């Protein structure tokens, strides 16, 4: 009895000394004492980052630019680019909207339980736009995830090197999609049943049954990058579980469906029930985005010039980059101008009734612009001596004139874009006319080559040959542009058509080929051809007169609007077309820069000790540069001993100087230089000779 009492007392003592935990809410942490120094306060970090973002635009004009002007440039960039980004994103979402709808409809309509022997499979032929299809599949995933009974899993080649890792990825991604409570319950179930391996699809089957999953969509981006044998084995395994797990496969194909089928065995292909989907070509997508970016808008404050635009288009077509990369390039072009041009602050106040006064430094910067100097010279040639002197001496008069010139320049560029759009509209309205892409017309118009081009003459000639029904449709399309008297011309045409006797036969002008006849005359065994015009009816004559009026209006409008943008005064403020800094960013040449830095280090170091030496070798140069120049003089295989001898001869001590300590230092520099050349991919160890190096790169290639 006493033993039982002692044991009871001991248990009670243990119960009294058990540990307990106190939960303190986050709101009352300040009452417990000061914050630990090692803990980071997120709110402070966030506010600091926001403050850094606000100050990303630095003062220009030698640091004398006022904070209001800096904030104006930053605000102009945000407002200008937000409008462009919204428009480009909308176009990008609408490009493949039909394909997205078809894929979502395919997933909703297919029933994996109907045919347990074959897996429903969607083959999306993205072609060269495979890199640009990321946004399309993101839209598909967002649409699919709206249904709680659908799961989307992405299979990337780098994450599934073998069959086990692929199955693990499918199970992990599928079971991780859910609420926290569901994940906790599944973790408890997994602990209770430890016999299932992490690549056993039975756990995925239990997950689908528990959560009533009706579609398990597995998406393969860049499916060609996955090994064919691995893909075949994975399809075979998934097919064996098709009756228990509702799999649906989506493959992104960059080549073609035929080439994709060739990499799979026939037995594997028979396990798939394929449906193909086509996407828009990358060139067509780029054309639509560029047309939306350069379309005329009254609210536009900054224009990208033809040189920079052509460089971006060529880069996009040559390297087939994604649409997001193209949008990022356009954003960088906007930021490059507004960040580095102090005069771009005028764009912020150009439409205000009372613009902010300019600094004296701004006025001096305006006076140094080449377009402003040409403007003053033109005033002097016209005899405006008083205004020319005020522009050079009076800052207030210069400010008012600068704002007026910027407003006039923006209106002129808007009219130029409208004239380019009108030319594109006319080409689209003529069925038999070869349609030039918008980018070609825009580049010609912004370069000043469109006004006198044969293209415009052919377009106007085609307009004169249009019959009355096609002319009526053309005038309806041209009503969206700012062509003067286009509505009156359309009303005159409608009145003329209402007076015709036969409305089924369109009216034709005297320029139409139907009113021209060719006569053949044989004189002295020589055949001569001559054209003659037939007699016009009263209605056709009236229509010909109306066509002449339309042709005159179009010619006057195009000759007035198709100007050279760089002929506008102060175009440097609202037109960014500086190619040299943009080329280094959008089309960098890192190898050329690296070769120049190693072969001529004085161009970058700007030191007096090795300035412009003709032989290119000097002991004061960096060790890597010396080894690189010796490397250029060697053959395909380099003897390390000979290279060390030449290197030591350049850096070695003179007679009576240094010693072993100096030689060790030079040897350390030699090893470091060789390591850097090997890191740059210029040399590697030779397999045939252990004391030799193999040359991997040649200069200029």
């Amino acid at each position: 009895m006493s033993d039982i009492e002692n044991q009871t007392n001991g248990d009670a003592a243990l119960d009294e000394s058990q540990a307990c935990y106190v939960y303190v809410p986050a709101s009352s942490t300040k009452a417990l004492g000061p914050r630990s120094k090692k803990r980071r306060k997120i709110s402070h970090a966030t506010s600091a980052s926001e403050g850094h973002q606000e100050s990303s635009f630095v003062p220009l004009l030698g640091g004398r630019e006022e904070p209001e002007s800096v904030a104006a440039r930053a605000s102009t960039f945000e407002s200008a680019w937000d409008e462009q980004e919204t428009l480009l994103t909308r176009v990008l979402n609408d490009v493949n909207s039909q394909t997205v709808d078809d894929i979502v409809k395919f997933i909703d309509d297919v029933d994996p339980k109907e045919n347990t022997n074959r897996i429903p499979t969607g083959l999306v032929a993205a072609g060269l736009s495979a890199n640009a299809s990321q946004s399309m599949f993101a839209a598909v995933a967002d649409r699919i995830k709206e249904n709680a009974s659908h799961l989307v899993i992405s299979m990337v080649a780098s994450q599934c090197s073998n069959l086990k890792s692929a199955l693990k990825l499918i199970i992990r991604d599928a079971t991780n999609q859910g609420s926290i409570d569901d994940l906790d319950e599944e973790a408890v179930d997994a602990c209770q049943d430890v016999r299932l391996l992490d690549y056993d699809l039975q756990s995925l089957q239990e997950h689908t049954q528990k959560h009533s999953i009706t579609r398990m969509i597995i998406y393969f981006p860049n499916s060609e990058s996955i090994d064919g044998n691995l893909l075949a084995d994975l399809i075979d395994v998934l097919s064996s579980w098709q009756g228990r797990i509702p799999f649906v496969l989506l493959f992104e194909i960059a080549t073609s469906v035929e080439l994709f089928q060739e990499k799979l065995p026939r037995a594997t292909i028979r396990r798939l029930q394929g449906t193909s989907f086509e996407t828009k070509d990358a060139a067509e997508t780029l054309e639509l985005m560029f047309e939306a970016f350069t379309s005329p808008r009254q609210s536009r404050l900054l224009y990208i010039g033809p040189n920079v635009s052509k460089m971006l288009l060529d880069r996009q077509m040559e390297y087939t980059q994604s649409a997001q990369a193209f949008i990022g390039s356009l954003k960088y072009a906007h930021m490059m101008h507004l960040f580095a041009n102090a005069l771009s602050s005028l764009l912020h106040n150009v439409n205000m009734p009372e613009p902010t006064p300019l600094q004296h430094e701004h006025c001096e910067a305006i006076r140094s612009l080449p377009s402003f100097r040409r403007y003053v010279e033109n005033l002097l040639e016209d005899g405006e001596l008083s205004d020319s002197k005020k522009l050079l001496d009076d800052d207030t008069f210069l400010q008012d004139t600068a704002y007026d010139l910027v407003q006039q320049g923006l209106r002129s560029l808007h009219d130029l874009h409208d004239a380019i759009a009108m030319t594109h509209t006319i080409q689209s309205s003529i069925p038999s006319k070869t349609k030039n892409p918008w980018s070609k017309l825009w580049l010609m118009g912004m370069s000043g080559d469109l006004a006198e081009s044969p293209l415009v003459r052919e377009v106007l000639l085609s307009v004169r040959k249009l019959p009355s029904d096609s002319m009526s449709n053309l005038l309806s399309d041209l009503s969206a542009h700012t062509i003067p008297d286009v509505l009156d011309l359309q009303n005159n045409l409608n009145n003329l058509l209402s007076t015709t006797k036969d409305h089924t036969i369109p009216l034709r002008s005297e320029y139409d080929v139907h009113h021209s006849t060719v006569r053949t005359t044989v004189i002295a065994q020589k055949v001569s051809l001559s054209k003659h015009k037939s007699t016009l009816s009263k209605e056709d004559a009236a229509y010909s007169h109306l066509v002449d009026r339309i042709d005159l209006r179009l010619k006057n409008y195009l000759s007035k609007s198709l100007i050279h943008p760089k002929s506008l005064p102060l175009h440097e403020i609202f037109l960014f077309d500086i190619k040299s800094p943009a080329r280094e960013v959008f089309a960098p040449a890192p190898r050329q820069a690296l070769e120049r830095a190693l072969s001529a280090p004085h161009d970058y170091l700007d030191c007096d000790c090795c300035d412009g030496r003709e032989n290119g070798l000097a002991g004061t140069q960096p060790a890597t540069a010396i080894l690189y120049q010796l490397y250029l003089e060697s053959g395909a295989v380099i003897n390390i001993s000979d290279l060390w001898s030449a290197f030591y001869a350049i850096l070695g001590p003179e007679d009576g100087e240094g010693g072993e300590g100096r030689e060790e230092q030079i040897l350390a520099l030699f090893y470091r230089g060789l390591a850097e050349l090997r890191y740059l991919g210029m040399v590697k160890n030779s397999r045939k000779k252990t004391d030799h190096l193999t040359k991997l790169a040649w200069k200029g290639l």
Side-chain angles (χ1 to χ4, degrees):
M1 188 71 179
S2 59
D3 294 337
I4 298 176
E5 291 179 355
N6 293 335
Q7 184 178 0
T8 305
N9 295 333
D11 294 340
L14 289 175
D15 293 339
E16 292 176 356
S17 62
Q18 284 183 351
C20 63
Y21 299 92
V22 179
Y23 170 72
V24 180
S27 59
S28 60
T29 53
K30 295 182 180 180
L32 298 179
R35 178 182 296 273
S36 175
K37 295 182 179 180
K38 294 184 178 181
R39 294 182 60 187
R40 191 162 56 99
K41 191 172 181 181
I42 303 301
S43 59
H44 290 173
T46 305
S47 61
S49 62
E50 292 176 355
H52 178 72
Q53 185 176 1
E54 293 177 358
S55 61
S56 58
F57 278 67
V58 297
L60 302 177
L61 302 175
R64 294 187 296 272
E65 187 179 11
E66 296 180 355
E68 292 79 7
S69 178
V70 178
R73 290 190 289 113
S75 177
T76 304
F77 167 72
E78 293 175 0
S79 59
W81 177 246
D82 288 345
E83 180 183 3
Q84 295 282 8
E85 186 177 21
T86 303
L87 183 61
L88 291 173
T89 305
R90 186 187 307 118
V91 172
L92 189 59
N93 294 334
D94 295 342
V95 164
N96 292 314
S97 59
Q98 184 61 41
T99 306
V100 172
D101 295 339
D102 294 342
I103 295 175
V104 174
K105 187 176 184 300
F106 161 75
I107 294 174
D108 292 338
D109 294 345
V110 73
D111 189 0
K113 296 181 180 179
E114 290 183 358
N115 191 353
T116 58
N117 297 325
R118 305 178 69 184
I119 305 177
T121 305
L123 305 175
V124 183
L128 293 177
S129 60
N131 293 330
S133 60
Q134 300 175 359
S135 59
M136 184 189 70
F137 281 100
V140 172
D142 293 340
R143 293 274 298 275
I144 294 174
K145 290 179 181 178
E146 293 177 358
N147 192 336
S149 62
H150 294 178
L151 290 182
V152 182
I153 302 170
S154 179
M155 296 287 294
V156 184
S158 60
Q159 298 179 355
C160 49
S161 57
N162 51 50
L163 182 59
K164 285 185 178 181
S165 61
L167 295 176
K168 289 179 183 179
L169 178 63
I170 294 175
I171 297 172
R172 186 184 70 241
D173 289 355
T175 55
N176 287 343
Q177 298 183 25
S179 61
I180 299 179
D181 297 336
D182 296 338
L183 296 178
D184 293 339
E185 293 178 3
E186 292 178 3
V188 173
D189 296 340
C191 294
Q192 294 176 355
D193 190 1
V194 296
R195 291 174 297 177
L196 295 178
L197 300 175
D198 53 357
Y199 54 86
D200 193 344
L201 290 179
Q202 184 177 348
S203 59
L204 184 60
Q205 178 190 359
E206 296 174 356
H207 178 80
T208 56
Q209 294 176 353
K210 182 177 182 180
H211 296 277
S212 302
I213 303 300
T214 60
R215 304 288 189 279
M216 184 75 66
I217 300 98
I218 302 179
Y219 163 52
F220 295 85
N222 297 326
S223 58
E224 285 89 349
S225 61
I226 302 177
D227 182 65
N229 297 327
L230 171 61
L231 191 59
D233 295 341
L234 180 61
I235 293 174
D236 293 341
V237 173
L238 297 180
S239 176
S240 63
W241 287 82
Q242 180 62 19
R244 292 163 285 180
I245 304 175
F247 288 115
V248 178
L249 306 182
L250 284 178
F251 290 97
E252 176 189 318
I253 303 174
T255 54
S256 64
V257 178
E258 291 76 13
L259 292 177
F260 177 74
Q261 291 179 353
E262 290 180 0
K263 69 181 294 186
L264 298 176
R266 292 184 178 180
T268 303
I269 295 176
R270 285 194 293 267
R271 301 178 188 274
L272 302 178
Q273 183 180 358
T275 303
S276 62
F277 302 94
E278 296 291 337
T279 60
K280 286 195 175 182
D281 187 67
E284 185 178 357
T285 303
L286 177 63
E287 191 68 25
L288 292 174
M289 294 180 61
F290 188 75
E291 183 177 356
F293 174 73
T294 56
S295 59
R297 293 187 301 276
Q298 291 286 354
S299 59
R300 193 168 183 179
L301 297 177
L302 179 62
Y303 292 84
I304 306 300
N307 293 326
V308 177
S309 299
K310 187 177 184 303
M311 182 174 57
L312 293 179
L313 291 174
D314 294 342
R315 170 176 172 264
Q316 190 72 13
M317 293 302 298
E318 291 174 359
Y319 298 100
T320 318
Q321 297 185 350
S322 64
Q324 296 296 335
F326 181 68
I327 295 176
S329 301
L330 296 176
K331 181 178 181 179
Y332 192 87
H334 278 72
M335 188 190 68
M336 190 183 302
H337 178 75
L338 293 167
F339 183 85
N341 190 348
L343 297 179
S344 60
S345 60
L346 275 72
L347 300 176
H348 181 70
N349 304 319
V350 68
N351 294 323
M352 293 184 178
E354 295 182 0
T356 305
L358 299 178
Q359 299 177 226
H360 177 70
E361 289 79 7
H362 284 108
C363 297
E364 292 299 326
I366 292 175
R367 294 186 178 104
S368 64
L369 295 178
S371 61
F372 177 80
R373 296 181 178 181
R374 289 195 299 268
Y375 176 71
V376 174
E377 291 175 357
N378 293 334
L379 291 179
L380 291 175
E381 293 177 358
D382 296 338
E384 301 290 340
L385 300 179
S386 177
D387 292 344
S388 302
K389 187 175 181 180
K390 288 182 180 180
L391 289 174
L392 298 177
D393 298 335
D394 191 351
D395 291 348
T396 304
F397 183 76
L398 175 62
Q399 172 185 331
D400 298 337
T401 305
Y403 280 117
D404 293 339
L405 291 176
V406 171
Q407 289 179 352
Q408 295 174 11
L410 291 175
R411 286 195 295 267
S412 299
L413 282 182
H414 178 269
D415 294 341
L416 171 61
H417 281 66
D418 188 76
I420 298 172
M422 186 202 72
T423 307
H424 187 260
T425 301
I426 296 175
Q427 279 193 340
S428 303
S429 302
I430 301 175
S432 60
K433 187 65 180 175
T434 303
K435 299 177 183 179
N436 292 286
W438 167 263
S439 58
K440 179 180 178 181
L441 292 176
W442 188 88
L443 291 175
M444 291 179 63
M446 291 295 289
S447 302
D449 301 331
L450 188 59
E452 302 297 333
S453 64
L455 190 148
V456 172
R457 292 195 295 269
E458 293 176 2
V459 166
L460 294 177
L461 182 60
S462 301
V463 171
R464 297 166 67 182
K465 296 179 180 180
L466 287 178
S468 59
D469 52 353
S470 300
M471 183 65 74
S472 179
N473 297 331
L474 176 60
L475 292 178
S476 299
D477 296 337
L478 294 180
S479 60
H481 303 277
T482 58
I483 304 175
D485 303 333
V486 64
L487 295 178
D488 295 339
L489 295 173
Q490 188 175 6
N491 293 331
N492 294 336
L493 179 60
N494 294 333
N495 295 333
L496 178 61
L497 294 177
S498 62
T499 59
T500 57
K501 298 178 181 179
D502 191 356
H503 297 283
T504 59
I505 301 176
L507 300 178
R508 300 184 183 275
S509 65
E510 60 179 341
Y511 309 103
D512 197 289
V513 293
H514 290 77
H515 292 296
S516 299
T517 58
V518 180
R519 295 182 180 179
T520 305
T521 306
V522 180
I523 301 175
Q525 296 181 353
K526 292 183 180 180
V527 180
S528 61
L529 301 177
S530 60
K531 290 185 178 181
H532 297 272
K533 292 185 178 181
S534 59
T535 305
L536 300 177
S537 63
K538 183 178 179 181
E539 291 82 1
D540 289 342
Y543 177 67
S544 300
H545 179 67
L546 182 60
V547 168
D548 291 337
R549 292 175 55 194
I550 295 174
D551 180 68
L552 181 61
R553 292 290 189 278
L554 294 179
K555 285 182 178 179
N556 293 337
Y557 179 73
L558 291 177
S559 61
K560 179 182 177 182
S561 301
L562 292 178
I563 61 172
H564 199 297
K566 293 187 178 180
S567 64
L568 298 173
L570 306 187
H571 68 269
E572 296 90 347
I573 298 176
F574 49 83
L575 178 66
F576 175 68
D577 198 31
I578 304 177
K579 193 174 180 180
S580 54
R583 186 192 298 110
E584 298 176 358
V585 177
F586 299 134
R591 178 170 178 173
Q592 180 181 0
L594 187 63
E595 291 176 349
R596 179 184 173 186
L598 292 176
S599 59
H602 54 81
D603 293 345
Y604 295 86
L605 299 178
D606 193 20
C607 55
D608 298 332
C609 54
C610 55
D611 185 13
R613 295 183 181 270
E614 295 181 358
N615 55 4
L617 289 173
T620 56
Q621 293 180 355
T624 308
I626 297 175
L627 284 175
Y628 177 74
Q629 295 174 65
L630 296 174
Y631 161 89
L632 295 177
E633 299 174 358
S634 62
V637 180
I638 306 173
N639 190 319
I640 299 178
S641 177
D642 296 342
L643 186 64
W644 159 248
S645 300
F647 183 79
Y648 186 79
I650 298 173
L651 289 180
E654 298 180 359
D655 297 337
E657 296 182 4
E660 288 190 8
R662 177 59 178 168
E663 184 177 354
E664 292 178 355
Q665 294 178 0
I666 298 175
L667 185 61
L669 294 176
F670 178 75
Y671 284 150
R672 187 178 68 178
L674 281 182
E676 291 179 354
L677 290 180
R678 184 181 291 108
Y679 177 76
L680 293 174
M682 296 182 179
V683 294
K684 71 174 183 179
N685 294 331
S686 177
R687 295 183 179 180
K688 297 181 179 179
K689 300 180 180 180
T690 57
D691 58 343
H692 284 65
L693 296 175
T694 302
K695 193 173 183 179
L696 299 178
W698 280 259
K699 185 178 180 181
L701 297 179

